[in-house]
Amino acid sequence: MFCDRGSFVASRACSVRRAITASGGILALALSTGLLLGGTARAQETQIIYPGSMAVTGFPGTVIPDFEPPDSEKGGLPPGVDPADETFIDTSQASLRIFDVSRLGGPASGQLVYTPPPFEVTAGQIGEVFGLTYDDGIRDGVPSGIPNLYAAATSLHGIEIVTPDADDDGRPERQRRGTAGATFMDGQFGTENGGGPGTIWKIDGITGAVSKFADIDSNSGPGIGNLAFDPTHREVFASDLDTGLIHRIDIEGNLIDTFDHGIAGRPAHGLSPVADDGAVMDIQAAAFDSEDPETWGYTQDARRVWAVAYHGGRLYYSVGEKAEIWSVGIASDGSFGGDPRWELTVKADQDYAVTEISFDNKGFMYLAQRGPVENRYDYSRFADSGKGEIIRYQREDPADPATESVWVEVPQEYAIGFPQGNRQSAGGVDLQYRYDAEGNLDSSVCTDTVVNTGDKLRDNPELAERLAAGGPFAVHGVQLTPSALVKPANVPPFGSWFVDFDGYFEDPDVQGHVGDVRVWRPCEGRAGYYEEIPGGFLPPFYPPDFPPPGNLPPCLDVEDVQYFCTPHGLQADLYLNDHAGFGGDSVKVQSKTPGVAVTSPMSHAPGKPYTIDITGHTPGDTVNVGLCFYRKSDQDKGGYYPCCKMTLPLRTPAVSCEGRDR
């Protein structure tokens, strides 16, 4: 059998890739032959994750167990048997790979990159997964520099069910519709290792050992939308496609609490609350149809949370097919804040779900669309591909009071893949370090490369002659692009590199077989725009003429201060408590430290922190800020108005906001 050279050198015989595809009425079987990797991840001597390591999820492929060719003694399948009925998820193949992309072999020219063999975790171990996140690498309280990777169960690569073997061929019976006795196919959710549709798996970054991190037992089958890690409070967030809840999970895998966007989020934007309708996936009920995702028990679109991303003290998340981006604050104790906020409604040609959100060090927010969920019985198509976009939004600077959102209304778009339209996104996006002119990783620049998943990335007959020099056309995997190359630059994307997910190229027509992508990208000591950085404050002190008449207690306490870098320098968000009931709603600020300037917006939004900008200080110094806390209605009357005064010593972060992109 002819086999194209893969994008990495695998220690096994070649095999046909992922699907059964129909051509001229003859089904080409996706068979795995030769020496295959076993059901355990390959052992590593030192570690499996390094700075720049790129984890990618995808469909593992299919196999007909105990199949013998037609010219063998067994003579292949009996006459009249549909090969699709005897084809199953290949549990010996990987649904998660971790790639070394530190050397791409030369300048970007639209070529396929040949990487070293990736670390692999098989479908037999964890089933099919989509969402990914890394933790901070702290082990036993000590930073190790080697994180663990987390992967979440998914329905985005189809739902396959079976009943016990009824024809004595040694294979279970594949079912299209729900029926009594049906179970999930092996390789669907890692049930062989105790997994299920709500399982989050942990891959040890040193040993590669796989274990179950957490279980959302209430998930009946739709699976997890995506994952995010909060390094400040060391907790994981997981979006639940069954209920629409966002789960908060501690670093030990214990479920702590949940946030319900449908009930608690929507009213913050004037929308009516939407409770979960209680629909579940019941694979033993006749109503279940493996080819109809409407029967899979997803919560309603209005409350369906897909992507989650922690950034700047808030958890950002996407909702629905006509995607909206929202955020909710994370309090100082790690709990969900009471301040859900609509950020924007995505402007794209198609109303597709945003399944991944990422942020760079310059304050850009990157969004990846994935086409609607499908599940062809022949495993060929799990999403409607070819129209999904990778876009990025930037914050308004300065904020435009005429617009509702703090984000610029029209996003910038990237050219993804070579097919017409250049919109081949498969739903994953992250940021990578910079690459130099020869394609070598440069970790001194933290977020200079966009990496995204996509289908049919190098397939365009009109460009075939030029593309042929860069390798095979049927690449389903990852595109790497310098972040500066937004459209109309890089159209078509010959300024990008490409990595194939599994190293086989015999399936040009499959869609939705690649999932998410996450890069381990530590940038210690470097601050990004709107990224929370460590600092603190000292107890405030009051002027000699305080307390006010009547011996009232001090009218203001400081609950917390959070620091961020912005294009203008250091920003401090003050969380103030009017515990004496003074009724203030505004602050004026004045620097009490020579040479340092502090400013604050003239207006304050209810429920949000008081924001001040600090310039001219030395990072790490304590800056004394005088606060005048007052009622705006009193000020509007003119003349003298009451003002509660105090001085707040701020311990500024020892991190400079200069050089934010390095």
Side-chain angles (χ1 to χ4, degrees):
M1 178 175 62
F2 170 78
C3 179
D4 221 331
R5 181 187 175 204
S7 63
F8 50 85
V9 182
S11 58
R12 61 180 182 269
C14 75
S15 63
V16 181
R17 193 189 320 200
R18 286 163 274 222
I20 299 174
T21 56
S23 177
I26 300 176
L27 288 173
L29 304 182
L31 305 179
S32 297
T33 61
L35 301 175
L36 301 178
L37 292 176
T40 59
R42 291 186 279 114
Q44 303 290 302
E45 293 182 359
T46 54
Q47 65 190 79
I48 66 167
I49 298 172
Y50 298 84
S53 288
M54 183 179 76
V56 187
T57 56
F59 183 64
T62 58
V63 65
I64 299 180
D66 301 320
F67 176 81
E68 297 292 341
D71 57 357
S72 68
E73 184 177 338
K74 292 185 178 180
L77 296 175
V81 173
D82 183 351
D85 290 336
E86 306 299 328
T87 303
F88 301 86
I89 298 168
D90 189 345
T91 59
S92 71
Q93 295 300 309
S95 56
L96 167 62
R97 291 182 166 93
I98 303 175
F99 291 86
D100 174 2
V101 286
S102 59
R103 294 176 177 83
L104 303 183
S109 60
Q111 76 273 37
L112 180 71
V113 173
Y114 295 93
T115 72
F119 178 83
E120 299 184 332
V121 184
T122 67
Q125 293 175 276
I126 62 175
E128 296 179 10
V129 291
F130 182 86
L132 297 166
T133 196
Y134 295 96
D135 66 21
D136 53 9
I138 295 177
R139 300 167 186 268
D140 299 323
V142 179
S144 69
I146 307 172
N148 300 301
L149 176 66
Y150 301 82
T154 188
S155 61
L156 296 187
H157 294 139
I159 293 291
E160 313 300 341
I161 63 172
V162 297
T163 51
D165 184 6
D167 55 9
D168 296 324
D169 64 357
R171 296 184 287 268
E173 308 306 320
R174 191 173 174 210
Q175 303 292 337
R176 295 176 186 259
R177 305 296 296 263
T179 186
T183 59
F184 292 114
M185 183 183 291
D186 285 353
Q188 178 73 63
F189 290 125
T191 51
E192 307 92 308
N193 285 335
T199 298
I200 301 169
W201 301 93
K202 178 179 179 179
I203 297 89
D204 190 289
I206 296 176
T207 67
V210 177
S211 60
K212 187 160 61 171
F213 169 66
D215 248 329
I216 300 171
D217 294 332
S218 59
N219 194 294
S220 63
I224 308 301
N226 220 311
L227 302 173
F229 180 69
D230 169 4
T232 303
H233 307 101
R234 306 203 70 229
E235 56 192 10
V236 173
F237 298 100
S239 58
D240 187 341
L241 296 178
D242 189 324
T243 63
L245 299 176
I246 301 175
H247 298 267
R248 186 166 68 97
I249 308 167
D250 70 21
I251 198 64
E252 302 300 326
N254 302 304
L255 275 65
I256 307 171
D257 60 13
T258 61
F259 174 76
D260 190 334
H261 168 76
I263 298 299
R266 287 173 54 85
H269 193 52
L271 303 172
S272 59
V274 176
D276 180 39
D277 60 10
V280 297
M281 182 185 294
D282 184 355
I283 60 175
Q284 297 193 8
F288 173 80
D289 183 344
S290 66
E291 295 181 281
D292 182 7
E294 294 294 323
T295 69
W296 292 4
Y298 290 112
T299 194
Q300 304 99 295
D301 186 70
R303 57 177 286 117
R304 191 180 307 160
V305 176
W306 291 95
V308 285
Y310 180 80
H311 179 74
R314 300 185 68 81
L315 184 72
Y316 289 76
Y317 59 93
S318 64
V319 182
E321 295 290 335
K322 183 174 177 56
E324 296 177 348
I325 308 301
W326 290 68
S327 70
V328 61
I330 303 301
S332 57
D333 64 356
S335 62
F336 292 106
D339 60 345
R341 182 173 76 206
W342 172 88
E343 298 284 347
L344 58 89
T345 299
V346 174
K347 289 192 174 181
D349 277 358
Q350 301 293 322
D351 292 337
Y352 286 173
V354 166
T355 51
E356 186 63 273
I357 303 171
S358 293
F359 292 87
D360 69 9
N361 277 31
K362 301 174 184 177
F364 285 102
M365 177 171 61
Y366 295 76
L367 308 177
Q369 290 185 309
R370 183 176 173 90
V373 179
E374 296 190 12
N375 189 31
R376 298 289 177 86
Y377 190 67
D378 65 0
Y379 301 94
S380 64
R381 184 165 169 168
F382 300 127
D384 183 7
S385 296
K387 299 176 183 178
E389 299 179 34
I390 299 292
I391 57 178
R392 73 176 186 181
Y393 281 87
Q394 64 186 101
R395 295 175 71 96
E396 294 177 339
D397 184 25
D400 183 352
T403 61
E404 187 176 12
S405 174
V406 299
W407 301 90
V408 173
E409 289 190 58
V410 179
Q412 297 172 315
E413 183 185 353
Y414 288 89
I416 306 302
F418 285 93
Q420 187 69 32
N422 312 112
R423 290 175 171 169
Q424 298 299 123
S425 169
V429 67
D430 202 3
L431 280 299
Q432 171 66 286
Y433 296 114
R434 175 182 176 270
Y435 286 94
D436 66 18
E438 296 304 315
N440 298 314
L441 204 66
D442 176 6
S443 61
S444 70
V445 182
C446 291
T447 58
D448 200 58
T449 307
V450 179
V451 297
N452 64 270
T453 55
D455 298 317
K456 305 171 68 171
L457 289 169
R458 301 190 73 255
D459 183 14
N460 187 328
E462 295 180 4
L463 300 171
E465 183 175 352
R466 185 176 176 187
L467 286 168
F473 301 143
V475 172
H476 312 279
V478 177
Q479 176 174 329
L480 300 93
T481 306
S483 60
L485 297 184
V486 295
K487 287 183 176 180
N490 204 33
V491 179
F494 282 104
S496 301
W497 299 271
F498 297 87
V499 175
D500 192 80
F501 174 66
D502 61 8
Y504 304 118
F505 308 100
E506 293 84 6
D507 53 357
D509 296 321
V510 301
Q511 296 185 40
H513 279 232
V514 190
D516 199 11
V517 58
R518 288 277 94 183
V519 173
W520 171 239
R521 182 178 35 81
C523 298
E524 294 87 349
R526 303 178 178 97
Y529 289 149
Y530 310 105
E531 178 180 355
E532 188 175 356
I533 49 180
F537 62 98
L538 298 171
F541 53 90
Y542 299 86
D545 58 349
F546 200 87
N551 291 319
L552 292 174
C555 60
L556 205 59
D557 275 344
V558 182
E559 293 182 342
D560 193 18
V561 177
Q562 294 179 348
Y563 295 94
F564 308 91
C565 281
T566 75
H568 305 293
L570 180 65
Q571 174 182 298
D573 283 358
L574 312 182
Y575 291 82
L576 306 178
N577 178 22
D578 180 15
H579 68 92
F582 177 76
D585 56 14
S586 304
V587 296
K588 289 183 179 179
V589 297
Q590 180 182 7
S591 174
K592 300 290 187 177
T593 300
V596 176
V598 296
T599 57
S600 177
M602 292 302 294
S603 61
H604 172 256
K608 295 184 180 180
Y610 294 86
T611 297
I612 65 173
D613 294 316
I614 305 172
T615 55
H617 70 293
T618 299
D621 282 356
T622 295
V623 174
N624 291 324
V625 177
L627 293 176
C628 167
F629 182 56
Y630 64 96
R631 291 183 291 260
K632 187 175 185 300
S633 59
D634 290 340
Q635 182 198 45
D636 291 343
K637 295 176 183 177
Y640 170 81
Y641 57 90
C643 174
C644 168
K645 297 180 180 179
M646 73 175 188
T647 298
L648 176 61
L650 296 180
R651 286 176 166 168
T652 65
V655 177
S656 174
C657 287
E658 301 300 322
R660 290 157 297 277
D661 59 340
R662 297 197 61 80

